Amino acid sequence: MSQGICCCHRPLPTTEQDCSSARREREEAAHLAGLPPVYAVALAKKTARHISIHNLRGRRSCHGYAYSLAGWLLLSRHTVGALENGTLSCNLSSAYQDYFWKGCMPGAEGNLCKVCIGQQEMERGKDSSRCAANHDERYYGNMGALRCLLGDPSGRSFGDVAFLEHHNLLQNIDYLERSGWATGGAPNDLELLCPDGSRAAVADWKTCTLGPVPPNIVVTRPAAAAKVYKFLMKSQEASRSSPFQLFQSQKYGDRDLLFKDSTQHLLPTSHLGYEAILGISFWQLAESIFNCTPVGILDFCKQDPCAYSAPH
C-alpha cells in the first residue's frame, strides 16, 4: 500500500541550527526510511522472450499516466538514457514519442495515445475519453497499465511492456483474471524486466527494479503551512471514527479524489527538505529533466504571486 506524506515546509533559519534541531531532522529522516518501499518496475509477458529492457525502442508501451514516477520519470534512465548523452531532445515527452512505436500514456498525445481505449459508453452513458489522465481511461494508473499489457477483453489493444509501481501488483493481476478482463494473466505468465537485461519473477521487485519511488508530498505556501498541517491531521483522525473518510473516494462516487485510495496515513516531515525526502539521486534526475521539459504546472508555480491580486 502506498504511503502519503504530509510535508508542510517551513523556511530554515538563517543562523546555524542547534543540536536538537539537527537531531530531530535525523530522526525524521530515519522515520521516513522505515516506510514500506515502493518500486518502479517494467513488466512483460513471459511468452515474449525476445523483449528486454535494452530493446524497447519501437515497441508498444503502457504507462500509468504522463509525468508519473514509474511510467515517465524513472523510466527515462533505462530507455532514453535520461537524456544524458545529449543525442535526444531535451523534452522528455517528445523523446518518448520518438522512442516507442505507439502506446498508452494517459495525458500524453500523438502515438502515445493510440493504444488507449477510453471508457465504454455503456458503462457511464457518455462519450469515450481516450487517453484522458483520469479513470475515464481504462488504461489509466497502475491497474490501467496492467490492463494495457494484458489487452482488453476482446484480445485487442495491448502493449508489449508495462511500466508501473509494484505495490498491489499481485492482487491486481489476480483481480483482472478473476473479473474476466483477461485470461492467461496469472503472475506466472508475467515477468519483470531487469536493468541488466535479464528477467525475474513478478515477486522479485526488490532485486529487479527501475528504482525506488519516493513518497508523495503535500506542499503549500509557508504562510499557510500551519493551517494546512492542522487541517489534514484533524481530518485524518476524524476519518478513523466518523463517516467522513479522507482516503476513501469510493464513498463519494469516484476514485483517488484527493489522495490515492490506497493511502494509509499521512506523516509530518517538519524540518526535512525536498532532498532528504526524495533522495539525492531522484532529486538530481527530476531537476535535470524538468529544467528542460515543458510542464504547465511548473510554469504556473514560477509565477510571482504578488503579480495577481484577489478580486475586491
Side-chain angles (χ1 to χ4, degrees), residues 77 214 273-287:
R77 287 173 170 163
Y274 291 123
E275 291 187 13
I277 297 172
L278 302 178
I280 298 297
S281 177
F282 181 89
W283 172 267
Q284 292 174 343
L285 174 66
E287 187 176 42

Side-chain angles (χ1 to χ4, degrees), residues 65-233:
Y65 51 90
Y67 309 121
S68 64
L69 301 187
W72 189 84
L73 189 60
L74 290 171
L75 170 62
S76 65
R77 287 173 170 163
H78 308 278
T79 51
V80 296
L83 317 177
E84 291 173 353
N85 57 16
T87 59
L88 296 174
S89 167
C90 187
N91 185 328
L92 186 56
S93 296
S94 296
Y96 284 137
Q97 294 277 353
D98 297 333
Y99 189 85
F100 294 108
W101 171 33
K102 60 181 179 179
C104 184
M105 182 186 285
E109 56 187 17
N111 61 312
L112 291 180
C113 286
K114 290 184 177 180
V115 177
C116 297
I117 57 176
Q119 185 68 258
Q120 290 180 342
E121 294 182 10
M122 61 182 176
E123 290 182 2
R124 292 199 175 186
K126 62 180 181 181
D127 294 335
S128 174
S129 298
R130 289 185 68 240
C131 211
N134 55 52
H135 289 290
D136 285 345
E137 168 55 61
R138 285 170 292 170
Y139 286 175
Y140 172 80
N142 290 319
M143 179 70 85
L146 185 57
R147 283 195 181 103
C148 173
L149 176 65
L150 298 177
D152 65 18
S154 69
R156 300 189 299 268
S157 295
F158 61 91
D160 300 314
V161 58
F163 307 102
L164 64 164
E165 296 174 359
H166 91 275
H167 70 81
N168 286 348
L169 179 55
L170 294 176
Q171 296 93 318
N172 289 343
I173 293 173
D174 180 63
Y175 168 78
L176 289 181
E177 188 172 38
R178 288 187 291 104
S179 67
W181 176 268
T183 57
N188 289 338
D189 298 319
L190 303 169
E191 288 183 326
L192 301 178
L193 305 182
C194 306
D196 63 0
S198 64
R199 287 182 171 226
V202 173
D204 292 339
W205 49 67
K206 288 186 178 181
T207 57
C208 182
T209 169
L210 304 184
V213 176
N216 294 314
I217 308 171
V218 177
V219 297
T220 186
R221 293 178 295 107
K227 290 182 178 180
V228 171
Y229 172 80
K230 185 176 180 179
F231 170 77
L232 289 175
M233 291 299 105

